[in-house]
């Protein structure tokens, strides 16, 4: 039976139908544009720049007694005055760096042994071998983070590796709420796992169930000689899926505060989404 991931969901308040008539009609807010960015000002500014450049070029060529350079002086003045006018009126589309327009730089340490592209041994074929090697492809990690926090590539978020075991994330023009959201997306990154639920239908699960009910911790251990061995653990259930777990008599559930938890067995295969290939 697949176990749904316990992802946080926004709490939506259901409105009372009797109060719907009291809700005021939405108002349309029109964004005010600066007067110097209007179309009329743009046309007048272009006319002024062209006329003034022509007049100044003609005056300069006569004063310097170089009438044959009249066109060259006009082009130089036109480019200069056009650039100054565009900068002063904010017409430019220059992309400023984070040091000029502000932003946030996040640096994360990557736990594990980092590898470069084409470096090291071939990719492990089993989960046990992969966990033993603990090799992390930094480029692949940066791409995965980019797909998670900026999937459409709309934002100018830069994700690069820094050194051998760090990831740097640059977020320009970031507000505190957006930075907090991105940090939460990185720290709460989802993972696909396949787990076996403990069930009263199987005799082999009953000793584990009895041991889990006698303990209050999240993890259930048994002793393998002098070494504790993890055999089961409690997993939170999504509130939208809680009903089908709580009212199934064959499954083992408990309430941890207001949160419903289901008992999951720790099998020897430990299959995750990393073991799946397209």
């Amino acid at each position: 039976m697949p176990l749904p991931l316990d992802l946080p969901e926004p709490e939506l308040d259901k409105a009372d139908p009797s109060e719907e008539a009291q809700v005021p009609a939405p108002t349309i807010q029109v964004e005010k544009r600066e007067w110097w960015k209007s179309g009329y000002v743009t046309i007048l500014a272009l006319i002024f720049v062209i006329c003034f450049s022509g007049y100044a070029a003609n005056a300069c060529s006569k004063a310097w007694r170089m009438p044959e350079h009249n066109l060259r002086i006009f082009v130089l003045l036109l480019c200069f005055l056009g650039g100054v006018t565009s900068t002063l009126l904010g017409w430019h589309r220059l992309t400023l760096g984070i040091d000029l327009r502000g932003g946030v730089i996040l640096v994360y340490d990557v736990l594990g042994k980092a590898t470069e592209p084409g470096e090291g041994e071939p990719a492990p074929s089993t989960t046990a071998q992969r966990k033993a090697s603990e090799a992390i492809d930094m480029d692949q990690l940066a791409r995965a983070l980019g797909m998670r926090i900026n999937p459409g590539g709309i934002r100018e978020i830069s994700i690069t590796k820094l050194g051998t075991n760090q990831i740097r994330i640059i977020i320009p023009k970031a507000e505190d709420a957006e930075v907090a959201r991105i940090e939460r997306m990185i720290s709460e990154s989802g993972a696909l796992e396949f787990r076996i639920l403990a069930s009263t239908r199987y005799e082999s699960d009953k000793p584990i169930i009895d041991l889990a009910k006698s303990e209050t911790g999240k993890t259930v251990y048994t002793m393998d000689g002098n070494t504790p061995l993890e055999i089961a653990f409690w997993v939170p259930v999504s509130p939208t899926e809680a009903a089908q777990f709580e009212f199934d008599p064959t499954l083992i559930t408990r309430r941890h505060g207001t949160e419903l938890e289901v008992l999951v067995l720790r099998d020897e295969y430990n299959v995750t989404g990393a073991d799946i290939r397209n």
Side-chain angles (χ1 to χ4, degrees), residues 13-271:
D13 294 331
K14 295 184 178 179
D16 189 355
S18 61
E19 299 179 356
E20 290 184 356
Q22 303 177 3
V23 178
T27 59
I28 301 176
Q29 297 181 353
V30 180
E31 183 181 359
K32 296 182 179 180
R33 294 185 59 185
E34 295 82 353
W35 62 269
W36 62 83
K37 292 184 179 180
S38 63
Y40 296 107
V41 175
T42 301
I43 295 175
L44 292 176
L46 290 176
I47 295 175
F48 172 78
V49 169
I50 294 174
C51 295
F52 184 82
S53 299
Y55 174 80
N58 187 34
C60 291
S61 62
K62 289 182 179 179
W64 297 337
R65 298 179 181 179
M66 295 186 300
E68 66 278 4
H69 296 289
N70 188 4
L71 181 60
R72 297 180 181 177
I73 298 174
F74 169 74
V75 173
L76 290 175
L77 289 175
L78 182 64
C79 294
F80 174 75
L81 293 177
V84 172
T85 305
S86 175
T87 302
L88 293 178
L89 297 182
W91 296 342
H92 61 83
R93 294 295 183 267
L94 300 178
T95 302
L96 302 178
I98 191 173
D99 53 340
L100 297 179
R101 58 176 169 171
V104 176
I105 299 178
L106 304 176
V107 178
Y108 288 89
D109 293 328
V110 179
L111 302 180
K113 182 176 64 177
T115 61
E116 298 294 336
E119 181 187 39
E121 299 178 356
S125 58
T126 64
T127 304
Q129 293 176 356
R130 180 170 54 256
K131 290 188 175 182
S133 62
E134 294 185 349
I136 300 174
D137 189 337
M138 298 294 288
D139 291 333
Q140 184 177 3
L141 176 61
R143 289 193 296 269
L145 289 175
M147 294 177 62
R148 180 167 181 80
I149 65 179
N150 190 24
I154 301 176
R155 291 297 312 275
E156 299 177 3
I157 299 178
S158 174
I159 303 176
T160 57
K161 61 180 181 179
L162 185 64
T164 57
N165 64 337
Q166 289 183 328
I167 291 290
R168 179 177 60 187
I169 303 175
I170 301 177
I171 313 170
K173 289 186 177 180
E175 298 180 354
D176 295 340
E178 183 179 7
V179 174
R181 180 183 65 84
I182 293 177
E183 289 179 338
R184 186 168 58 252
M185 291 177 66
I186 295 174
S187 61
E188 298 179 1
S189 179
L192 176 64
E193 296 183 357
F194 297 88
R195 298 301 179 192
I196 300 176
L197 301 180
S199 175
T200 57
R201 292 179 297 178
Y202 305 104
E203 292 293 331
S204 58
D205 293 351
K206 290 184 178 180
I208 301 177
I209 294 173
D210 294 337
L211 185 59
K213 289 181 177 180
S214 64
E215 298 181 1
T216 58
K218 283 277 188 180
T219 308
V220 182
Y221 294 95
T222 186
M223 297 303 297
D224 184 11
N226 296 326
T227 305
L229 179 64
E230 181 181 350
I231 56 175
F233 55 97
W234 296 94
V235 176
V237 179
S238 173
T240 58
E241 305 290 340
Q244 63 174 319
F245 287 88
E246 190 170 17
F247 296 105
D248 189 338
T250 63
L251 300 180
I252 309 303
T253 59
R254 72 175 185 182
R255 283 285 176 179
H256 185 71
T258 59
E259 191 176 50
L260 180 68
E261 295 180 338
V262 63
L263 185 62
V264 176
L265 301 178
R266 174 70 71 182
D267 60 282
E268 58 179 331
Y269 301 104
N270 195 28
V271 180

